Amino acid sequence: MSRIARRFAALKKQGRGALIPYLQACDPDYDTSLALLRAMPGAGADLIEIGVPFSDPSADGPTIQLAARRGLKAGSSMVRVLEMVARFREDDGETPIILMGYLNPIEAYGHARFCADAAQAGVDGLIVVDMPPEEADLLDGPATAAGLDLIRLVAPTTDDARLPVVCGRASGFVYYVSITGVTGTRTASSDELAAALPRLRAATDLPVAIGFGIRSPEQAGAAVRAADAAVVASALIATLEETLDEQGRATPETLPRVLAQLSGLARAVRNA
Amino acid sequence: MSAAHTNEAACGTAETRPNSLRAGPDPRGRFGIYGGRFVAETLMPLVLELDAAYAAAKADPAFRSELDYYLKDYVGRPSPLWFARRLTEELGGARIYMKREELNHTGSHKLNNVMGQILLARRMGRSRIVAETGAGQHGVATATVCALFGLKCTIYMGATDVERQKPNVFRMRLLGAEVVPVTSGAGTLKDAMNEAMRDWVTNVRDTYFLVGTVAGPHPYPQMVRDFQSVIGDETRVQMLAAEGRLPDVIVAAIGGGSNAMGIFHPFLDDASVRLIGVEAAGRGLNSGETAASILRGRPGVLHGNRTYLLQNEDGQIDEAHSISAGLDYPGIGPEHSWLADIGRVEYVGATDDQALEAFQLCTRTEGIIPALESAHALAHAAVVAPTLSPETLLVVNISGRGDKDIFTVAAHLGVTL
């Protein structure tokens, strides 16, 4: 059983949903980002998504675009991201790590070599934003061979006829993009979620995470009541951004403030 | 070339045959390993819907006749094939013809594609149009048809390009379009493309994304090529009428590659016709400041398709550089990538300086002010024509007119307007 499956099974026993915070690798620098990653499980992260900085994040809103630019400026590369995961794994063998990003840096690394090295570093799953199921054959084989889950995205535009195509080869969990739009903008209403979830449940037995537009503890709580996990990304990155100095460097406030926000979200998820 | 091949060409037909190079893409939108549909799941159902809607439109004679009507009476087609006598004499060598796409309404080849797509968007019931633009030619063409049909129009344009293409920005606003300057990245075409995709993903239900070049997720590369192929179809007929045979060499500039694909595609199966695509070499192919995606890039995935891209070893996309805003893009249409790999089309570069020289040469000898984009094609024609015999028939695609570029050119020549 993969770390992701184990974690969801354990949470199910506890009768609660998962909180999945997101950070952009090397934002604003490698050391701060690694320190944040290491501190996240203690602050209530059940799984963690690491954004792999890309020069052209066309599905992301302004907050994550800026985070990606900071990460790249600080020297992020796929090699550095995997190194960061390996360092995290030195003292955390249980918290699932999912890399989220765009296809081209994976292509540049080489599909098979990337999957093997990512698994070796301790990565558990991949979310490739610009790789729909129709194009996923190029990573399906290498990911399966390496024991990585390829997590599929389902959108509000994914109709019932298409859901089996998307969920058919999904593993790990299914990521429901709750709005039509880029990251960190609008928030789905509880009515929208209530309408979407039964369709998803009918199409897959995998856990369902809700992402895009979850900002507050209340929204995170609502998401785990409707589904199995809440992903919070832009809201945490916006806080991180606020704590940076004029040159965009981390300050003593950076970690405490992001982690305090994460703890608040975790409480809401646990009490939901 | 076989006799049958010659005869068929002489008849002016260009039907797709078995083993034809014109048969692509496959049902997955691939040209060899290039192309595809690399978009977020939110957009995937839209892309599939577009594919089906385009296939239905293509099969509908009413769509074709509606498009023909607008191409003739609104765009002003056919565009002439002009024998450039003085340029031919000045260069010495091949007989140079110019395909006069700059005479189309709005001053470039862009309207051919835009006209087709706007009719499709109307068939699909879309009420709002978004588009990306580099030099502003595609933006102006899009704003024009939105005015013609009374549709809402938002154009994304890099902030750098807004600055260097002010006349086109003003034109678009006059035409009723909202022009949104994009400040992310270097503020050029690639950033405008990212922002247009973000708008599309946000407004999927009422918005049509009107892509301006032969790139993006399938079916855009195929559809834009089909709409632009009118350039090559006309060139074939016109050259047969003028010279009684097909051209020997066709030269076209390449950014995303739509004017080049439009003039090349009808000739892909005519092995005697040498096709040359001219990429913007910027400050030189080895300067690190270039937009030559095929000559200096390698395959990768961006903006919905796999194609040659300027990128670093980590797969981060590089900033392109060209004096011409319309060529300032780090990628290229996927069909070009395939044609480069199989060797059917030659890809070469022309620098900023060569383009500036050719811009002046064409203006001085023919009384035609070409767009800086087209000046890249002219620059290479000026290199290759003197090496060819006087019987050689060489066509240069004059994809646009250069009025929009006079400020840029003046600045480079040290003239203050």
Side-chain angles (χ1 to χ4, degrees), chain A residues 2 5 25 31 42-43 81 93 109 118 120 138 173 185 194 196 199-200 236 261 264:
Chain A
S2 75
D31 290 336
V81 174
Y109 199 105
Q120 176 71 30
L138 55 95
F173 60 91
T185 49
R199 293 204 303 127
L200 269 165
L236 291 168
Q261 186 181 8

Side-chain angles (χ1 to χ4, degrees), chain B residues 168-229:
Chain B
N168 273 345
V169 174
F170 184 59
R171 273 184 200 106
M172 287 184 268
R173 288 183 173 146
L174 278 176
L175 289 160
E178 177 194 12
V179 180
V180 182
V182 179
T183 52
S184 60
T188 59
L189 183 51
K190 141 179 120 91
D191 311 296
M193 188 81 173
N194 287 331
E195 210 54 37
M197 290 183 79
R198 291 182 187 118
D199 182 309
W200 190 27
V201 85
T202 305
N203 301 293
V204 280
R205 297 186 201 276
D206 67 343
T207 296
Y208 183 94
F209 181 20
L210 209 160
V211 173
T213 192
V214 286
H218 176 68
Y220 285 106
Q222 173 193 10
M223 179 167 67
V224 177
R225 173 202 75 196
D226 291 349
F227 289 138
Q228 290 294 1
S229 289

